Amino acid sequence: MEKTPNLQVPKKRIKRTGVYISKPLKKFLEESTHAYTETLTPNREEVSIYCDHISKAKHVLMGKFYEELSGAFYGGIVLDGKSIRENPAQLDIDFGELEQMINWENKPKDELFIKPDIVNIGKSIGEAKGCKSGSSLHIFDEQTERYRKIQLRSPAHSVYFAIYRHAFQRIKDKTATIRSGEEIIQDLSLSTMYSLKIPLSILLYLHGKWYGNIKETLGYRYGKSDYQDCTMAREFAIRSLFQDPEKIIDMLDLSPENYKITRKLSPENFTVRTSPAESLTTLTQFPILMIEDKDHENWIDSFVESEKRLGTNIQEIQGTEEVPF
């Protein structure tokens, strides 16, 4: 009688949900963050994210978390993707001043718009993006095109993208969905590993559809019928931009001399309030690499000329077209 062969059943890959910080990630941070000695002075030292008032979708809660961090770190009002007339209680600046900049007249209430995440009147307009460590960053065509128009309409404001690398696995998984919002916030507060703050001038070249050319080592185009057209910035691009920003800026055919690069640690003793009661979570410090245009006005001049060559109707955007938020 023949013996049955001793077959090895392949081990099923464990799909982790929640915080998982791998040894390579720990090593990368240890090797990369020795230059981060100064602490960022935030505009606010606490944010409030009342989980009961937010969609049960945990990835929406994650987005809200990083929007609030960006507003507190760099200043400004988080718009929550809503018309300010629908949610005036969130504003702590002059209501008329913000309305003057963002004209909501004649906007259908049920129409969806890509609005900026954070507006700091007279200074900056920001977009916050959470991205799991090891994953590519989605840079959507429609969103990028809207921010080009936003920049043309508000040239005095610097447009930035705050990218947060976190170690929270499978935020859309059922096991994450059944967890409380407070638990998700606590995990995000522990698992945000590092952050990049980059200007629109760099993001446009990283996106590569209208500006520059997509480098195979940095990203690739993605578009299917069931998904938005976008550029996927590879893990290598985001990690290397944090580790050696001058190298990646040069790879994008930009001049590192045109940028100011600052390294900071996130604020000490920064807290996140998750309910009106005394429910506070302390944010674990993480390194932040900040890149900004040395001469924003000069870049705006070249940006406008580039948009003219692309055939953008600048007069319409700056004169009669409402801000495309």
Side-chain angles (χ1 to χ4, degrees), residues 151-152 154-159 200 293 295-307 318:
Q151 184 67 92
L152 288 169
S154 304
H157 292 74
S158 59
V159 174
L200 179 64
D293 301 309
D295 189 336
H296 180 69
E297 291 184 6
N298 184 58
W299 176 75
I300 285 293
D301 290 340
S302 63
F303 172 62
V304 169
E305 291 304 314
S306 296
E307 288 293 324
Q318 293 182 336

Side-chain angles (χ1 to χ4, degrees), residues 10 43 145 175-176 210 230 235 243 291 293-294 296 304 311 325:
N43 186 267
E145 186 173 10
T175 55
W210 298 283
C230 65
E235 156 74 6
Q243 197 170 27
I291 308 175
D293 301 309
K294 282 185 178 178
H296 180 69
V304 169
F325 294 173

